Structure formats: C-alpha cells, structure tokens
Amino acid sequence: MSDTRRHATLAIIGLPNAGKSTLLNALLGQKLAATSQIPQTTRTRVLGVVDRGDVQLAFLDTPGIHLPKHALNERMMAHVEQALEEADLLLWVVDADDYLGTGEHALAKRLRKLGRPTYLLLNKIDLLSKGRLLEKIATYKDLLPFKEIVPIGAKMGLNLDPLWTILERDATQPGWLHDEEVFTDQTERSLASEFIREKVLRKTREEVPHGIAVLIEQWLEPGHADYPEDLGPEGVFIAAQILVDRDGHRKILLGSGGEMIKDIRQSAQRELKKLLQRPVRLELFVKVDEGWRDRPERLDRLSI
C-alpha cells in the first residue's frame, strides 16, 4: 500500500509586532510561543508541528525582522535566515492596520531573490472596515507574486479555515518530516524561561523593553535532595534569574515593596502550572548584568 502522507515546512516571517507568534499559537490550538505588545518578543526559531489527516505541517515561528543593534539581534536575525533556508513555503504576516513602509519593501526584495512560494497573511482584520481591507489588498498585491493573499485575525481566530485548506493543498513534500509524537523542538525549560519573560514584558510594558532575559538556574524534580517535599510527589521547583541591563530596570521589576516581582512570579507560576500540567513553585531573582546582549558566552547560556 502506497504512503499518501505529505508534509511542508512553513516559515512564519514578518516585521516586529505583526502577530506571528499569535498566529502560531492559533494554528497549534494551544500556547507555545510567548506573545506581548512589545516588539521582538520572539528571539529564536520555534517549531510547532500539526498533523491533519495525511498532511503534516511544520511551522517555524521567527523573530521580527529588524536591523541588528547588538549581538543578540544578530543571532535573532540568524534564526530568521535559518528558517528561510529550511522552509518550503513562507507565510509573510503583516499588520493590516499599519502602513506599508520601507521595512516591507526591503523584505519583499529579499523574498523575491529567495524565490520561495510566499503567502501574504493580512493580519488584524478585525481592526479594519471591508473598504480598508480591500485597499490593503490592492496596496500589497503587486509587491510580490504571492501564491495567495489571505486576510486573517490571528488573535480572534478569524478566517483560519481557508488558510488551512490552502496550506494542506500546497503541502506536497512526500512523507512526514517529524514523528507523530513530535509537537515542538522546545524543551520545558526553554518554554518556562520564555513564559516568564513574557510576563515581565506584559507587566512592565515600555518601562523595561528589550534589555531582559530569563535564565533557569534550578529545575528540581521529586527525588532531588533539595526538592521541597511540601510541593507534593508530582511537582517541580523552578528558580529563575531575570537579567537586566541596568539598575533602574531592576528597581522597576522589584517594584515598591517587592510588589511588581511578586505579581510577575504569581502570574508566571499560574502559566507554568498550565503548561506543565503539574504543581509548580517558582522563585524569581533579579540581577543586573550590564551588556549581556553583546556577550557571546551569555547568549550561549541563554540558548539564543
């Protein structure tokens, strides 16, 4: 009996804050990528795999494309390049409520040279009237010979069914690339650090923008000598360090009387409990590590 299974690897690309990670989470039906209103929330390439009948779709979420200012940003852009090389198909997500600027024109030029089949996903259509949406489609349609232009609302799950139909149709690579049980290439530790960083970004917003990172220092399972027994036989104890660029950011994160860091810890602990499906105790510490974004050894330890 012949194998009718097919697959495609799809890179989700675009400028910062277009909604790429929100789209990945919507397509997967559960939260995998951290999201916030702060640009450049995603720092690495994140794999999410969906099996739909005979078709396997492997999505690669990527950092927002921008001009690097630090070694951190250079590594982020290297993740984008890696995803572009891996992908059979490209999903270019744009904020349909924003204007078409120099960043989009530069990306279109890059994609034209690359020559991969590209779908334009006009995101955030819930913010546009029908007339404005039609104007956006007309504005973008000559930018590239797009395979398809699909208006979507990733946050609200709008118009995703037509997108699924198109992607399943165009997944033509023979066989499956990943085993059935593979959902992502992210470890529990890496997901935990990203979800903690997401809570920092959401709670502090513009006050502590990009100069933070989260390092998991301890991950204790039952049976470890230092595991807190009152957490129960199925829990996990996590201690994480939040790195900041300057002392002013440390003070913001701690907050008056330690209220901000307490709020971040409680919010992140709830998120991690849902992620790991087990009791979680989280401890957070804030450390000033000036210039960490330009130190390769620090970036290595952060797996960026």
Side-chain angles (χ1 to χ4, degrees):
M1 183 176 177
S2 62
D3 188 353
T4 60
R5 296 190 300 178
R6 299 172 285 119
H7 79 271
T9 300
L10 310 98
I12 304 174
I13 61 170
L15 302 190
N17 256 19
K20 299 179 296 298
S21 297
T22 302
L23 174 62
L24 177 70
N25 293 337
L27 292 171
L28 297 179
Q30 69 182 82
K31 185 171 180 178
L32 177 63
T35 62
S36 81
Q37 294 181 334
I38 305 299
Q40 301 172 25
T41 299
T42 301
R43 287 176 170 170
T44 62
R45 162 200 163 284
V46 178
L47 170 70
V49 181
V50 179
D51 300 333
R52 292 172 65 90
D54 288 342
V55 178
Q56 183 179 80
L57 299 171
F59 298 98
L60 304 176
D61 187 23
T62 63
I65 296 171
H66 61 283
L67 293 175
K69 294 183 179 179
H70 299 277
L72 166 65
N73 306 93
E74 290 174 357
R75 291 200 180 191
M76 290 166 65
M77 291 304 93
H79 286 297
V80 175
E81 293 300 322
Q82 178 189 355
L84 288 173
E85 291 301 320
E86 284 182 74
D88 309 304
L89 309 171
L90 306 180
L91 305 181
W92 180 4
V93 182
V94 302
D95 182 347
D97 195 39
D98 206 351
Y99 66 93
L100 194 162
T102 56
E104 285 85 0
H105 282 285
L107 179 52
K109 184 178 179 180
R110 168 80 175 89
L111 297 180
R112 194 176 295 111
K113 290 181 179 178
L114 189 63
R116 293 277 199 284
T118 302
Y119 306 79
L120 180 68
L121 306 187
L122 290 168
N123 192 26
K124 307 183 185 181
I125 58 171
D126 47 302
L127 304 178
L128 278 70
S129 66
K130 185 176 181 180
R132 280 194 64 208
L133 177 58
L134 292 174
E135 289 175 5
K136 288 290 182 179
I137 293 174
T139 301
Y140 274 94
K141 70 181 182 66
D142 294 327
L143 203 58
L144 269 180
F146 294 110
K147 197 167 180 65
E148 299 276 359
I149 297 178
V150 186
I152 63 167
K155 189 174 183 179
M156 310 293 290
L158 300 176
N159 213 37
L160 295 185
D161 285 343
L163 178 60
W164 280 120
T165 300
I166 291 166
L167 299 184
E168 289 179 36
R169 177 197 71 194
D170 294 340
T172 58
Q173 299 297 322
W176 280 9
L177 192 61
H178 304 278
D179 293 336
E180 287 187 39
E181 65 273 12
V182 172
F183 172 67
T184 184
D185 57 355
Q186 302 297 293
T187 66
E188 288 185 338
R189 288 187 180 223
S190 65
L191 290 173
S193 66
E194 285 301 280
F195 283 15
I196 295 167
R197 186 167 64 90
E198 175 194 72
K199 297 307 176 188
V200 173
L201 293 174
R202 291 192 173 198
K203 297 290 184 181
T204 60
R205 296 189 179 273
E206 303 292 338
E207 296 177 281
V208 186
H210 308 297
I212 70 156
V214 174
L215 186 63
I216 303 297
E217 293 282 12
Q218 280 188 309
W219 186 289
L220 304 183
E221 304 274 354
H224 190 281
D226 296 326
Y227 177 80
E229 294 301 325
D230 62 323
L231 188 52
E234 297 179 353
V236 58
F237 173 83
I238 303 170
Q241 198 173 82
I242 302 175
L243 306 179
V244 296
D245 249 345
R246 58 192 72 169
D247 191 57
H249 289 166
R250 177 179 178 275
K251 291 175 181 177
I252 291 171
L253 277 179
L254 293 177
S256 177
E259 284 301 309
M260 176 61 80
I261 195 67
K262 179 181 178 182
D263 189 18
I264 292 169
R265 185 191 66 78
Q266 291 176 339
S267 181
Q269 186 170 274
R270 286 193 296 269
E271 190 85 37
L272 294 177
K273 185 178 179 181
K274 287 192 292 184
L275 169 71
L276 301 174
Q277 294 292 298
R278 57 198 294 201
V280 173
R281 182 171 301 164
L282 175 65
E283 289 189 2
L284 296 178
F285 306 91
V286 185
K287 176 184 177 181
V288 179
D289 190 6
E290 189 174 347
W292 69 266
R293 287 179 287 180
D294 281 313
R295 291 210 306 277
E297 70 280 1
R298 175 59 81 190
L299 298 176
D300 288 343
R301 192 169 179 206
L302 291 165
S303 300
I304 298 176

